[in-house]
């Protein structure tokens, strides 16, 4: 039964890393959408930023 613990730790770690990666990708996608919406709102209120 010692192999069960080793495999559980190994595959559990892989699952935790993959889950964290997917959550991070989802977070950055949502953050990008919010950034675009904020820039659009700021452009309508204050005008376009001159470069």
């Amino acid at each position: 039964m010692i192999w069960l613990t080793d495999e559980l730790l190994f595959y559990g770690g892989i699952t935790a890393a993959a889950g964290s990666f997917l959550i991070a990708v989802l977070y950055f996608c949502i953050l990008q959408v919010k950034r675009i919406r904020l820039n659009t709102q700021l452009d309508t209120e204050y005008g376009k930023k001159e470069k």
Side-chain angles (χ1 to χ4, degrees), residues 20-42:
S20 297
F21 178 74
L22 290 176
I23 289 172
V25 168
L26 180 65
Y27 172 76
F28 286 118
C29 287
I30 291 171
L31 190 67
Q32 187 70 18
V33 169
K34 285 187 174 190
R35 181 176 161 233
I36 290 169
R37 285 184 181 172
L38 178 62
N39 283 337
T40 303
Q41 182 181 357
L42 289 173

Side-chain angles (χ1 to χ4, degrees), residues 9-23:
L9 284 171
F10 179 69
Y11 292 120
I14 290 174
T15 304
S20 297
F21 178 74
L22 290 176
I23 289 172

Side-chain angles (χ1 to χ4, degrees), residues 39-50:
N39 283 337
T40 303
Q41 182 181 357
L42 289 173
D43 284 345
T44 58
E45 289 181 10
Y46 298 107
K48 294 230 180 227
K49 186 177 181 181
E50 295 181 14

